[in-house]
Amino acid sequence: MHHPIDPKIDCVFKALLGAESNRALLIHFLNAILGRDLPAPITWVEILNPYNDKEFLDDKLSIVDVKARDARDCLHQIEIQLLINRDLLARILYTWADLYCSQLHSGQDYSALKPTYAIWLLGENLLADSSDYAHDFRLRDAQARPLLDHGGIWLLELNKFHTDQIQTEQERWLKFFKDGEALDSSALPSWMQTPEMTQAMNTLKTFSEKERAYHRYQARQNYLREQRGIQRHLEELRVEAEQERAKAEQERAAKEQALQEKDAAPAEIERLKAQLRDQGRPESGDNGSRGFE
């Protein structure tokens, strides 16, 4: 029986790019995303945290990113994030820095550090001030001069990706992750007619056709839905609390202003009385009559 499978669900995502049997897919994906920014195409990788279906699907706290080392000893991290939260940018930067720093062991010099690349596929929009779907962030100055060419962070916002004319391998992968759940393996569109996409669809079919794998996929999907619901609820509570704090602050400020105006009222009245008295007081030497000319 065929079931639609979303490649963005973390267990499917990691099976696609983190399984030893799909090592060729990972290499192709990395070259598709990073190709123009690499000194040479990647031809070999070691998956540092390979996907294990039993361990992953039975553990709700499984690590869902994919980490790999290529032939130049460069490190790669690939992660899917379906729900955006206010701390995500800090988390993205921290995990890149943590992976970069993990290269040095006791007694090693800084010369041992190698470029580190982080790729994040995002299910929701993160950068509201840009309509572009692809972003790369590296250490550069205002003139775009690199401080050190040691990789960076690539963000791919799937919701902003809109094209039916696939021209690059990067676009092929992004369309697969965005629309993969709606694809029919028996009648694939022309843009899916490549060896890599065929292999990717075979991975989806594994989750679709094997009942045990599919039920585990469903359980994982339901768990992630619950987590997203909880996170959204907490975010709504946070927004409501901030609005209540802002309202309370406005009311407090209004009360303080009213008290200040009340305290200032007697002094203002005395000032106005004095002003009126000064306006009605005769000028010096003026006895109220014009005198004789």
Side-chain angles (χ1 to χ4, degrees), residues 21-258:
S21 58
N22 281 341
R23 190 192 299 251
L25 278 187
L26 176 59
I27 293 172
H28 187 270
F29 176 83
L30 291 173
N31 283 321
I33 303 302
L34 303 173
R36 65 177 183 174
D37 298 303
L38 297 172
I42 297 171
T43 58
W44 175 89
V45 293
E46 173 194 4
I47 301 175
L48 302 178
N49 56 340
Y51 172 77
N52 181 308
D53 59 343
K54 293 181 180 179
E55 291 179 3
F56 190 97
L57 293 171
D58 290 338
D59 182 5
K60 293 182 178 180
L61 298 178
S62 292
I63 299 173
V64 298
D65 66 347
V66 175
K67 293 186 177 71
R69 179 182 290 109
D70 65 22
R72 296 190 301 124
D73 283 334
C74 297
L75 293 174
H76 302 270
Q77 175 204 20
I78 310 99
E79 185 153 346
I80 189 85
Q81 180 70 29
L82 298 182
L83 187 63
I84 302 304
N85 58 71
R86 62 176 180 172
D87 295 326
L88 182 58
L89 283 174
R91 175 185 161 200
I92 290 171
L93 182 58
Y94 177 85
T95 55
W96 176 88
D98 186 55
L99 185 60
Y100 182 73
C101 294
S102 70
Q103 300 177 73
L104 285 189
H105 303 289
S106 179
Q108 285 187 299
D109 296 333
Y110 293 116
S111 59
L113 291 168
K114 300 293 183 179
T116 299
Y117 303 87
I119 301 171
W120 287 73
L121 295 170
L122 305 175
E124 294 183 343
N125 295 344
L126 177 61
L127 305 179
D129 59 346
S130 173
S131 60
D132 296 333
Y133 66 83
H135 317 269
D136 62 272
F137 299 92
R138 283 168 279 182
L139 293 173
R140 300 182 183 276
D141 66 7
Q143 285 73 45
R145 294 173 299 194
L147 176 66
L148 189 64
D149 190 10
H150 266 200
I153 297 169
W154 277 251
L155 305 182
L156 300 164
E157 299 179 280
L158 296 176
N159 277 351
K160 296 179 182 178
F161 178 75
H162 303 288
T163 182
D164 292 322
Q165 302 297 321
I166 303 301
Q167 298 180 353
T168 68
E169 294 304 308
Q170 181 184 112
E171 291 174 346
R172 198 183 313 280
W173 273 107
L174 295 182
K175 190 166 180 63
F176 167 73
F177 276 111
K178 184 175 182 180
D179 300 335
E181 187 176 11
L183 294 174
D184 182 355
S185 59
S186 63
L188 292 177
S190 58
W191 62 269
M192 282 289 293
Q193 303 294 335
T194 68
E196 293 79 19
M197 292 297 101
T198 299
Q199 185 174 350
M201 285 303 299
N202 285 337
T203 300
L204 298 193
K205 286 174 64 178
T206 299
F207 283 89
S208 174
E209 295 177 351
K210 293 182 179 179
E211 289 301 312
R212 184 168 180 267
Y214 177 66
H215 290 314
R216 284 181 163 179
Y217 161 82
Q218 279 189 314
R220 189 70 185 178
Q221 189 177 48
N222 290 336
Y223 169 75
L224 293 173
R225 283 175 180 149
E226 290 173 1
Q227 294 305 303
R228 291 197 295 270
I230 291 171
Q231 187 169 341
R232 285 196 175 97
H233 179 62
L234 292 175
E235 181 65 16
E236 289 171 358
L237 291 177
R238 183 189 65 80
V239 171
E240 290 177 3
E242 289 182 353
Q243 290 174 344
E244 288 297 324
R245 282 196 294 269
K247 182 180 178 181
E249 179 62 24
Q250 290 177 348
E251 291 176 352
R252 185 192 63 79
K255 287 180 180 179
E256 287 186 355
Q257 183 176 359

Side-chain angles (χ1 to χ4, degrees), residues 238-288:
R238 183 189 65 80
V239 171
E240 290 177 3
E242 289 182 353
Q243 290 174 344
E244 288 297 324
R245 282 196 294 269
K247 182 180 178 181
E249 179 62 24
Q250 290 177 348
E251 291 176 352
R252 185 192 63 79
K255 287 180 180 179
E256 287 186 355
Q257 183 176 359
L259 288 174
Q260 291 174 357
E261 292 175 352
K262 182 178 179 181
D263 292 340
E268 180 65 15
I269 292 172
E270 290 301 323
R271 187 187 69 79
L272 291 174
K273 286 180 178 179
Q275 184 177 353
L276 291 173
R277 286 196 297 270
D278 290 343
Q279 291 176 351
R281 182 180 302 159
E283 294 183 4
S284 178
D286 188 353
N287 60 3

